[in-house]
Every structure is written in structure tokens, then in C-alpha cells.
Amino acid sequence: MSEPSRFGVALVDESATAHLMADLALLIGPGDVVTLSGDLGAGKTAAARALIRYLAGDDTIEVPSPTFTLAQHYDLPPYPLLHADLYRISGPGELEEIGLAPLPEDAVVLIEWPERAAGGLPADRIDIAISHRPALGSAARAAEITGYGKAAAQVARLAALRRFLDDAGYLDARRQRMAGDASTRSYARLIRDDASLILMNAPKRSDGPAIHDGKSYSAAVHLAEDVKPFVAVARGLRDQGFSAPQIHHADLESGFLITEDFGSAGFVEGTPPAPIVERYRAATDLLAALHGRTLPDTLPLTAETAYAIPAFDPEAMLIEVGLMLDWYLIDRGIEPGETLRAEFMAIWRALLAKPDAASATWVLRDFHSPNLIWLEQRHDIGKVGIIDFQDTVLGPAAYDLVSLLQDARVDVPESIELALLTRYAKTRMGSEPHFDPAGFAERYAVISAQRNTRLLGTFARLNRRDGKPHYLRHQPRIWTYLTRSLAHPALSAAQAWYQKHVPPPAG
């Protein structure tokens, strides 16, 4: 077992407590246990209340002490939370009676008076010991945060985050929770003097074991495993005149950034959400402008180092579509044998040869509505703010257009898709005499089939491996897009194979 990790914090007022708990919230998730220890009146419930209100995004939510109820459940936006108070129990034997043995794995568990159940709590936990510090003021407290077992790494990262914020001059800024995404990154707004910036927590990660010629899935398909690609591509986009966030402070090794805040004006509206066509047009025009340029394949990272954008080669794209076999088909009760796998891969090798032969450009990878912000005060395509591009690769121009016009999370009517596809082609033809609209339409269909095949597998994996079932609700939409692209004559062999072997999503 690893040695405990420990550091101390002076909490001079309630705001300081709120800041600490908000920073902790960036680093924890379901299955984590946080204990709050200290004397009566030390401020344990105040710390718990600060954490719960931050996660709820509501500073007015009622958070009573669970001294008499023993346990209080909260269904919060990021995950469930169980807030327990063990003051009235006499030992660990009573934990089962109040629903704390075993501890729920799908929730964060917050426990006051953990010493009452000494020996009955998990070895992997974060403890926050709070004590009075009258020398600092009547309301001042001190907190000693200790990470035990696997939580030692979380506490070490929390200490690094606090140092980063202090060095950047934002330790005293108010935090506001932001929704996360499918990655391991987490975000918060830093608000001070009516100005707002974005704090990004992007820990180094490898998406799975080394199973692809000694590489993890993320390395094999060129997904960013640290924050460096984000920093390099953000600068590259801005140098080209596009709206990517300015980075104000960065810790490249630890993976902490403070960036410009583009706000929250999106590209969809209504219930269910539908495209705002004017904004989708601008995004389409941005892609046409980007793809019409000769772009560098190496970008400056620091004054001394550069970042080479990886090539999105057919092997990487084949690994991506393989998620269909490994996750989606198995979810649908089909165990693909060697013959089925060989047929599938042969079809895709042939299909991906044509996009690979086309001129490569920057593929931002996740160019769709959740990652686009409308900047009304800017001009023309500068109104399109781009916030997710760390997985940028050199690949087919059709990829980002498919991402936009076949949005995995929003129904894009086929009429809008075709109108914007035509708009894109006309723009390219107007500035590039050799642009081939028919050839591009074929590559668009191939990339659509590739991307949507991958997404069916990815969302099945997010559900089963990562405990994120809400992604499954997008599978019927993805199936519609996939069916649409397979109807292109160039994909007739793939269409026949899918019709024979791939069932539609459940539900």
C-alpha cells in the first residue's frame, strides 16, 4: 500500500472552505470516500454543505446535518452523494444498519465522525481533519487533508492544483461547477470581479491496457494523453485566425490550465435540442476555410519544444471501428468469431484506402455542437468558438464535417445536412478549381460510416466499462446516420454485411 499523502490548508473564512471543497470536487467521483473529522463545532458539516452545494450548482440548497437521520442521500448532477454522520453509533458493527456496509459504489460517500467506526471504513479514502485556529480569527479553521491507499494520489493532485491556483493568483476566486464530458477531464469557472476564466483539470491518462502492438487504445488512435496537444493546437488555431481560447496559465506536466471563457451560447436550442441553422452555417464555413489552407503539421508548444500532429492513418481508423466488434455486437448478444472479424476488417481496409489517399488536413476530431460556442461580438467565422481539439490529427477533411452535420447528440434533419454539405462543397469549389465534389461526397459517406460505427462501440463501452449509461440514448440517432451513409453506392458491400450481421440498437 502506498504511503499516505498529506498537506494542510488555512481556512480563514467560509469562502476558503468553499474553495477547498470545490477543488476537491474536481478530483473525486463515484466510489470515493471522504471522511470529515474534528471536534464538535469544528466545521465538518459546513465543509460537507459547501461540497454538496457546489456539486448541485445551488448555493441555497438545504443541507441539514444528518446527526439524527444518520444518512442523507442527494441526487446531484454529476453523481449521487451520500452524506452520513456517525456521531450516534457506537462502533463499525452498526454501519450495515444505516446502509454504509457495504458502501455504495455508484456514489461519493461523505462521512462525519469517522472515528466512531474505526476499522470499519475502507483503506482507500480521503480524510479532512478540521480544527479551530483562533489565532487567525474567530471563524478561522485549519484543515489537514490526508489521502490513504489509492486516494493518496488524489490528495497529492489536490495539493498540486492548489499550488497552481495560488501561483496563478486565483486561489481566492469563486468556483462554479461545469459539466464534464466523456473524458477524464473536469472543469470549473473561476469568477472574480465579474470576470470569468475556465479551470481545466486534465490528468495524464492512458485509455486501457497495451493491446494494440504494445499501445493502449488512446495511443493507437492518437487520443491526447496529456494537456500538451490542447495547448499547441489552441495556439495553432489562433495563429490561423480562428477562435480558440487564449491560455492564461498552464502547468503542462501536471495538466492544469486556466483559459479564456467563451461563455455558454450554444449552437442548438429548444426541447429536444435542434440546430440553430445560422450558427451551423458559420461552422460549416469555418471548416471550408480551414480545409482550403496549407497548414503546418508541427506546432510550437513552448519556446524550446514543438508538437507534431499525428497522422490519422488507416490503422488507427481500423482500431476505432473495431469497437463495434468488441463492445456493440457483444452488447447485442453476438460474439464475433474470427471469420466475421476478418470479413469486417477486409471491408473497412478497402473503404479507408480512398480517404487516406486524399489530401490530409487538421481534423479537430470532436467538431460538433457541445464543443462549439457562439461568440456574438466577433465577426464572420470568428463567431464560432472552438473549445475541444486536443485530439487533433492529420486526416480527411470530411471527418469534421461529418462530426458537425451528423451530430451524435442532436438530431440534424437530413435536409439541413444536405444543404450544408452543398454549401461546403460550393465554397471549396469557389476557391479551389480542382476540388472534386463527387469524390468528396463519397469520402464523406465512408467517413460517416466509419465514425458512426465507432460511436456505436464507444457508447457501448462508456456504458459497460465506465458506468455512463446515458450515452446509450444516442445510439438510435447514430444508427440512423449510419444507415444513411451505407446507402451510398461505394459502400454497397459494407451495407450488405451490416444488414446481415449488425442488429439495430435496443429500445
Side-chain angles (χ1 to χ4, degrees), residues 22-29 54 78-79 157 161 176-189 198-203 255-257:
D23 295 341
L24 175 65
L26 281 173
L27 308 180
I28 60 175
Y54 174 82
Y79 41 69
R157 186 161 184 81
L161 172 59
Q176 183 181 78
R177 195 188 80 84
M178 297 177 67
D181 52 28
S183 74
T184 57
R185 297 182 296 275
S186 55
Y187 306 87
R189 280 195 163 89
I198 302 295
L199 169 64
M200 179 193 296
N201 163 52
F256 300 123
L257 300 178

Side-chain angles (χ1 to χ4, degrees), residues 361-389:
T361 186
W362 290 0
V363 175
L364 306 184
R365 204 79 166 255
D366 286 310
F367 191 86
H368 51 193
S369 63
N371 299 326
L372 302 175
I373 304 296
W374 186 248
L375 305 173
E376 183 62 49
Q377 73 280 13
R378 301 192 185 188
H379 301 287
D380 301 323
I381 59 176
K383 291 178 179 289
V384 182
I386 315 165
I387 61 171
D388 190 318
F389 39 74

Side-chain angles (χ1 to χ4, degrees), residues 23-306:
D23 295 341
L24 175 65
L26 281 173
L27 308 180
I28 60 175
D32 288 332
V33 176
V34 179
T35 56
L36 295 161
S37 54
D39 294 336
L40 281 169
K44 300 183 294 297
T45 299
R49 184 178 297 117
L51 177 63
I52 293 167
R53 286 179 171 175
Y54 174 82
L55 292 171
D58 183 353
D59 290 338
T60 66
I61 186 174
E62 187 69 23
V63 182
S65 170
T67 301
F68 296 101
T69 58
L70 299 182
Q72 188 80 29
H73 294 263
Y74 296 89
D75 189 12
L76 302 174
Y79 41 69
L81 182 143
L82 176 62
H83 179 199
D85 186 320
L86 307 185
Y87 184 73
R88 295 172 58 215
I89 75 168
S90 58
E94 297 180 34
L95 291 176
E96 186 174 358
E97 298 176 23
I98 60 174
L100 292 180
L103 291 171
E105 296 182 358
D106 64 343
V108 165
V109 180
L110 196 57
I111 301 175
E112 298 185 42
W113 295 99
E115 57 270 27
R116 302 281 183 168
L121 297 178
D124 302 322
R125 72 181 190 280
I126 297 169
D127 181 68
I128 302 177
I130 304 175
S131 57
H132 291 275
R133 282 295 184 271
L136 300 176
S138 60
R141 304 286 189 272
E144 184 172 79
I145 300 98
T146 306
Y148 296 97
K150 294 179 181 178
Q154 289 170 293
V155 168
R157 186 161 184 81
L158 178 60
L161 172 59
R162 303 272 301 174
R163 287 194 298 271
F164 171 72
L165 289 167
D166 194 18
D167 291 343
Y170 280 88
L171 192 60
D172 64 343
R174 181 167 66 87
R175 278 64 151 176
Q176 183 181 78
R177 195 188 80 84
M178 297 177 67
D181 52 28
S183 74
T184 57
R185 297 182 296 275
S186 55
Y187 306 87
R189 280 195 163 89
L190 301 174
I191 302 170
R192 191 172 60 196
D193 299 329
D194 297 323
S196 174
L197 295 173
I198 302 295
L199 169 64
M200 179 193 296
N201 163 52
K204 292 181 180 179
R205 57 103 182 197
S206 177
D207 193 10
I211 56 176
H212 301 285
D213 293 330
K215 297 179 180 178
S216 67
Y217 175 83
S218 57
V221 304
H222 312 302
L223 299 178
E225 296 188 342
D226 58 36
V227 80
K228 295 173 184 177
F230 183 96
V231 173
V233 178
R235 179 175 176 179
L237 286 167
R238 290 196 309 276
D239 286 347
Q240 292 291 329
F242 299 108
S243 295
Q246 180 75 35
I247 296 171
H248 296 286
H249 303 278
D251 182 336
L252 297 181
E253 294 307 314
S254 296
F256 300 123
L257 300 178
I258 295 176
T259 75
E260 182 180 5
D261 185 359
F262 279 167
S264 57
F267 276 60
V268 298
E269 63 183 358
T271 305
I276 301 173
V277 176
E278 173 203 1
R279 299 180 184 184
Y280 267 65
R281 286 194 194 106
T284 301
D285 293 346
L286 182 154
L287 290 178
L290 178 70
H291 298 158
R293 299 184 186 184
T294 300
L295 299 167
D297 55 14
T298 300
L299 299 169
L301 177 61
T302 67
E304 298 81 23
T305 61

Side-chain angles (χ1 to χ4, degrees), residues 337-357:
E338 290 304 314
T339 300
L340 211 62
R341 286 178 175 272
E343 291 174 355
F344 179 82
M345 288 301 177
I347 288 170
W348 274 108
R349 282 188 187 280
L351 286 174
L352 293 174
K354 290 184 178 180
D356 184 54

